């Protein structure tokens, strides 16, 4: 797999701590990688000030950018180490997710790293609209970070789909596991696989009196277990680390992640947009609402972002 040599870290201007930058420094140290700290800012009031000339508005924008740049320089100083090179960039843009993705594409970054917010009362992660857009539209892997450490001998959980024999899904499964193995090697972690399979359709049991629901369910379970174990053996993962459960992926994946106390969940996002996204939905988007650890979202090979102007 392609190593993470260039990391684009999206900082949070509202926070004193920057878990995304801390995680990026950990990754960069193990990868001999470079980090660029990125901030996209915009204030509509500056654009609407009609009493100012275009030149004066531009001067005000540059003043705000300079203030933010000074703040970032302080942040970078706090997280700098002798082993990692950290650069920074502040730009004026009215849609942060677009500026992040376009910068990641144009400068050929290998990974986007961004912090998430934890809801204190619910003890779950709150994903912002920018997070959603990044996961849907970034061709570059996106790592969404919580404020905690990755311990030695931690667990990385790969959400895989063996319900489809489509070549793209098979390829994406392998890609997810290869990313996990590479990170596991660097952080001395264990790789686990998780898969949810559908329960017996209620309408079949009602409409067909001779329908054997138990046999049907067992057959589906065995098929999924067989495919998951086959994938695990092919990619060098212990079958003891395979978790196949009945249920929807959006229920099974968070449940297994919690039981394992996983540090990271890796899943594939197909990046549907428009009507098909609303109609079909995206498993990843249902899953992440319930995940309470770091999340790495990966696109299939050949995915082209709607924001890619090349």
């Amino acid at each position: 797999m392609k190593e993470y040599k260039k990391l684009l870290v999206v900082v949070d201007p509202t926070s004193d701590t920057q878990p995304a930058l801390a995680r990026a420094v950990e990754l960069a140290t193990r990868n001999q990688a470079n980090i660029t700290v990125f901030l996209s800012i915009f204030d509509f009031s500056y654009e609407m000030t009609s009493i100012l000339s275009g030149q004066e508005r531009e001067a005000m924008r540059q003043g705000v950018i300079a203030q933010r740049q000074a703040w970032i320089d302080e942040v970078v100083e706090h997280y700098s180490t002798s082993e990692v090179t950290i650069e920074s960039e502040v730009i004026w843009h009215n849609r942060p997710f677009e500026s992040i993705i376009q910068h990641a594409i144009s400068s050929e970054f290998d990974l986007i790293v961004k912090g998430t917010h934890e809801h204190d009362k619910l003890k779950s992660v709150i994903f912002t609209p920018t997070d959603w857009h990044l996961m849907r539209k970034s061709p570059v892997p996106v790592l969404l970070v919580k404020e905690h450490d990755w311990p030695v001998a931690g667990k990385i959980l790969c959400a895989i789909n063996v319900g489809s024999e489509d070549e793209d899904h098979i390829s994406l499964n392998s890609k997810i596991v290869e990313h996990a193995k590479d990170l596991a090697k660097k952080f001395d972690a264990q790789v686990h696989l998780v898969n949810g399979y559908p329960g017996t359709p209620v309408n079949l049991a009602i409409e067909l009196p001779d329908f054997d629901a138990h046999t049907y369910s067992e057959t589906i379970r065995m098929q999924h277990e067989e495919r998951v174990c086959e994938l695990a053996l092919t990619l060098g993962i212990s079958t003891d680390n395979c978790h196949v459960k009945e249920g929807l992926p959006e229920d099974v994946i968070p449940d297994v992640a919690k039981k394992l106390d996983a540090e990271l969940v890796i899943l594939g996002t197909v990046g549907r947009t428009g009507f098909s996204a609303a109609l079909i939905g995206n498993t990843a988007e249902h899953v992440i609402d319930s995940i309470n650890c770091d999340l790495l979202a990966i696109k299939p090979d050949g995915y082209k972002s709607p924001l890619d102007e090349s």
Side-chain angles (χ1 to χ4, degrees), residues 186-215:
K186 292 182 169 67
F187 288 88
D188 191 21
Q190 298 174 6
V191 176
H192 290 249
L193 309 185
V194 60
N195 175 251
Y197 65 90
T200 307
V202 176
N203 60 321
L204 275 181
I206 294 170
E207 291 169 15
L208 303 173
D210 297 330
F211 179 74
D212 187 338
H214 177 72
T215 302

Side-chain angles (χ1 to χ4, degrees), residues 176-192:
I176 288 167
V177 177
E178 290 301 334
H179 274 260
K181 285 171 65 180
D182 185 69
L183 287 168
K185 196 184 298 179
K186 292 182 169 67
F187 288 88
D188 191 21
Q190 298 174 6
V191 176
H192 290 249

Side-chain angles (χ1 to χ4, degrees), residues 5-160:
K5 291 294 185 187
K6 289 182 70 178
L7 312 182
L8 186 64
V9 178
V10 182
V11 288
D12 180 357
T14 67
S15 176
D16 294 332
T17 59
Q18 300 295 330
L21 183 51
R23 184 76 75 246
V25 169
E26 283 184 86
L27 281 167
T29 304
R30 288 165 170 80
N31 270 340
Q32 290 78 54
N34 296 325
I35 294 172
T36 297
V37 173
F38 187 81
L39 178 61
S40 178
I41 57 171
F42 185 78
D43 188 330
F44 196 64
S45 62
Y46 288 108
E47 305 302 310
M48 294 298 290
T49 311
S50 56
I51 56 171
L52 298 175
S53 66
Q55 195 173 2
E56 286 169 324
R57 279 201 298 274
E58 178 60 25
M60 288 175 73
R61 280 196 292 267
Q62 291 305 321
V64 175
I65 289 172
Q67 282 178 343
R68 286 300 186 188
Q69 185 64 60
W71 171 75
I72 279 187
D73 290 343
E74 284 183 26
V75 170
V76 166
E77 194 176 330
H78 180 71
Y79 288 91
S80 288
T81 73
S82 57
E83 300 166 280
V84 180
T85 302
I86 304 178
E87 298 176 349
S88 62
E89 183 154 356
V90 182
I91 70 162
W92 188 273
H93 198 290
N94 66 340
R95 301 182 87 178
F97 76 90
E98 281 189 13
S99 61
I100 295 163
I101 293 172
Q102 285 164 354
H103 194 67
I105 293 170
S106 63
S107 298
E108 299 184 330
F109 280 90
D110 301 316
L111 181 69
I112 295 170
V113 188
K114 184 181 179 299
T116 58
H117 294 273
E118 187 175 0
H119 192 294
D120 291 333
K121 288 181 183 174
L122 299 178
K123 292 297 178 191
S124 60
V125 176
I126 303 297
F127 292 95
T128 67
T130 297
D131 299 338
W132 290 113
H133 281 299
L134 290 178
M135 282 186 284
R136 285 180 185 134
K137 298 170 185 172
S138 171
V140 177
V142 177
L143 177 63
L144 294 171
V145 176
K146 273 193 59 187
E147 198 162 343
H148 66 90
D149 296 325
W150 281 2
V152 172
K155 296 179 179 71
I156 297 173
L157 183 63
C158 300
I160 56 170

